[in-house]
Amino acid sequence: MSEFPVTVFHNPACGTSRNVVAMVEAAGYRPEVVEYLKAGWGADQLRDLFARAGITPREALRERGSPAAELGLLDAGVSDEAILAAMVEHPILVNRPIVSTPKGAALCRPKETVFGLLERTPEGFVKEGGKAV
């Protein structure tokens, strides 16, 4: 079987993000896990990911648990470029997890969205807390 690259832009403090990594691994992949709070983002990297996912910077903006409100990013008139620049400066502003594979990219909320990016899915995955997916 050829290698199918899976990259998960991950925040280990997030249960959804941890579950997505576990779901990818349960499907038999060894994902590249990028802890973006440590690694940071580049503007071109985010533009590419968002374009592949079919979302705007505003749609990827994390509102809760981030400085989005204090930075004035929730106002309707704020441009996508201004949001993108803030995301580069404050990586926590990007919602997670974002997964990238040869099939595309997606903000995996809900976590089951990841299955559309994989060639195979796990048999009977059980997420944190013991609930079957």
Side-chain angles (χ1 to χ4, degrees), residues 1-8 20-33 99-103 114-122:
M1 184 183 306
S2 67
E3 185 59 36
F4 185 83
V6 179
T7 303
V8 180
V20 166
V21 170
M23 291 161 81
V24 169
E25 290 172 342
Y29 297 97
R30 279 187 245 154
E32 176 186 1
V33 177
V99 177
S100 177
T101 77
K103 291 178 94 175
V114 73
F115 294 144
L117 297 172
L118 304 176
E119 290 184 320
R120 60 186 181 272
T121 57

Side-chain angles (χ1 to χ4, degrees), residues 5-113:
V6 179
T7 303
V8 180
F9 295 92
H10 173 62
N11 178 346
C14 171
T16 299
S17 196
R18 289 191 307 270
N19 275 310
V20 166
V21 170
M23 291 161 81
V24 169
E25 290 172 342
Y29 297 97
R30 279 187 245 154
E32 176 186 1
V33 177
V34 177
E35 290 188 30
Y36 66 88
L37 293 177
K38 292 179 182 176
W41 296 107
D44 288 339
Q45 174 189 33
L46 287 173
R47 278 189 202 94
D48 177 62
L49 279 173
F50 297 162
R52 292 182 66 234
I55 60 176
T56 66
R58 182 170 299 280
E59 290 168 329
L61 180 64
R62 178 172 168 75
E63 295 180 15
R64 288 188 4 226
S66 83
E70 300 94 85
L71 294 171
L73 299 175
L74 304 182
D75 299 339
V78 179
S79 72
D80 281 347
E81 281 303 309
I83 293 171
L84 198 67
M87 289 172 161
V88 171
E89 188 173 339
H90 306 278
I92 191 71
L93 289 168
V94 180
N95 212 341
R96 79 281 172 186
I98 296 175
V99 177
S100 177
T101 77
K103 291 178 94 175
L107 173 59
C108 292
R109 288 185 168 270
K111 66 189 143 301
E112 293 81 7
T113 305

